[in-house]
Amino acid sequence: MDEETGLEHERRAKVARWRAEGREPYPWAFPGRVLTEAVRRAAGPLRPGESDPAVTFRIAGRLRSVRRHGQVAFLDLDDAAGSLQVLVRADLIGEDAYRGWLADLDPGDLVGADGIPAVSKRGEPSLEVRALTLLAKAISPPPEKYHGLQDAEERIRRPYLDLLTSPESRARARLRSELVGEVRGYFTSAGFTEVETPVLLPVAGGAAAAPFVTRSRYVGGDLQLRIALELPLKKLLVGGLEKVFEIGKVFRNEDLDSTHSPEFTELEAYWAYADYTEMRGLFEGLVARLLARAQELLPEGPARTKVAEVFRPPFPTIDFVDELERRSGLGDLLTMGRDELRAAARSIGSTVPDASPAGTFLDKLFEHYVEPSIERLTFVVDHPAATTPLAKPHRSKSGRVERFEAFVPGFELANAYTELNDPDEQARRFDEQARAAGGDRYVPDPEFVRAIRYGLPPCTGIGFGIDRLVMALTGAASIKDVILFPIARPRGV
RNA sequence: GGGCCCGUAGCUCAGCUCGGUAGAGCAGGCGGCUCUUAACCGCAAGGUCAGGGGUUCGAAUCCCCUCGGGCCCGCCA
């Protein structure tokens, strides 16, 4: 435990005084409490200086500031609905009660108030207090009332402190929840079944990323935390669930930056008897619905306008190979060997390991030559087969797979395929990845191949990061802005 | 992993360039004030200047190392 500061000492003394007087500084509940907006509404018709003794209200919240003027004081109380001024007058509650209350209450305390709606002489809607109740004494003082918590490190380590001083941060948290609710409702009403699949696996597959490893007493050895949802969801399609989706945390043992977090929330959905064209239609419908909701919820301003611009249909579609050839001036990419691709990637400064799969070099080239030009939601389609070991070969374009990615400026938003369902071809693709030593690559999963030997229906699947989706829809600059508890290193000794 | 920047009171920040006993505002304490809303006025209090080492008569300030954070680059479906 931290050492007590002088301020905390003062506040503990107040708690002791409270108890000595037989009052409870941490009561159990505050029944009958309403939100401050109810008082605000009731005060609406009143004129400055008036109050309405016909109705009483009970409110509760965090005491944000106290303005004392001798025999009258103004408290600001914050709750989920916003903030309300509480008017405390010595002539109404008695001078002893008045002095006692103000001596024992501090900013940051959780306080209940009973009173009547009123409007101050200066026109501020208020609750004119008849009684105050301490609901929880704050021992530690809150951050500064005007600037809030500015220190970037403290905001990451103690996000609750940022939340308690910043209505904007609280609004952002609720906005994310609303958008996730929309996503869930969209897939559910499209007939998808929401499922949960294991986080702990013998081998984390379905993507190329370094896993976290943990120890299981039950299996008597190591387990890995999932890096994607793909493989178990497809097994459910083998099992006869025809439309499934999952929203859940996945874990990749990598660095944090403005668009990557070691743990993040992913959605993946799989749809039997449909292909990637149908999936694109479904995704565009989702985007339209989310955009409408986000525009409703976001405050008016440049950020909202920018978001609307990025997500305004129709969305450009570019062919991965054609666009990369056009912008890079490189020759026929599909006939280039791995050595040639590696040389091209080296020439633009990429430092990926020499032994990386050919697809990695293609991804690097695309990232360098094409991604920076993306200004609006853009679909990139029909990638070279080497980039994508879990996608089905393109029905007409040789050397390609049926795949689309959705990009917004700055990052990839979604990734979808017509899924590979030929078990022998799947085994060959895994072998290819296994042969390319070094670098992160798809780990072959024989158990998955075994599962689809029983028959995976033709199907399409999509995956996207919920965090990034919320970023794009709210104009957030960093993934940390949409995660309530971003990862932080342990504090040094 | 590399480069640059940052860390001073519970919080928000000055002070560092050019070394000379640590400053303000908010919050807290005491006193005053019946209409404020970043209330105001007066008094007093509050510090491991992130941590460690070095240079120096003297280090918050200059140098080195470590820790934590930010931005950029690299790596990462």
Side-chain angles (χ1 to χ4, degrees), chain A residues 34-43 57 81 117:
Chain A
V34 298
L35 289 174
T36 53
E37 65 189 359
V39 180
R40 192 172 285 280
R41 265 199 310 276
F57 286 95

Side-chain angles (χ1 to χ4, degrees), chain A residues 10-34:
Chain A
E10 292 284 352
R11 286 168 176 239
R12 284 214 167 83
K14 292 176 185 180
V15 170
R17 192 154 70 231
W18 215 277
R19 291 205 160 108
E21 293 166 6
R23 293 185 290 172
E24 174 53 55
Y26 296 97
W28 287 257
F30 198 55
R33 163 264 177 155
V34 298

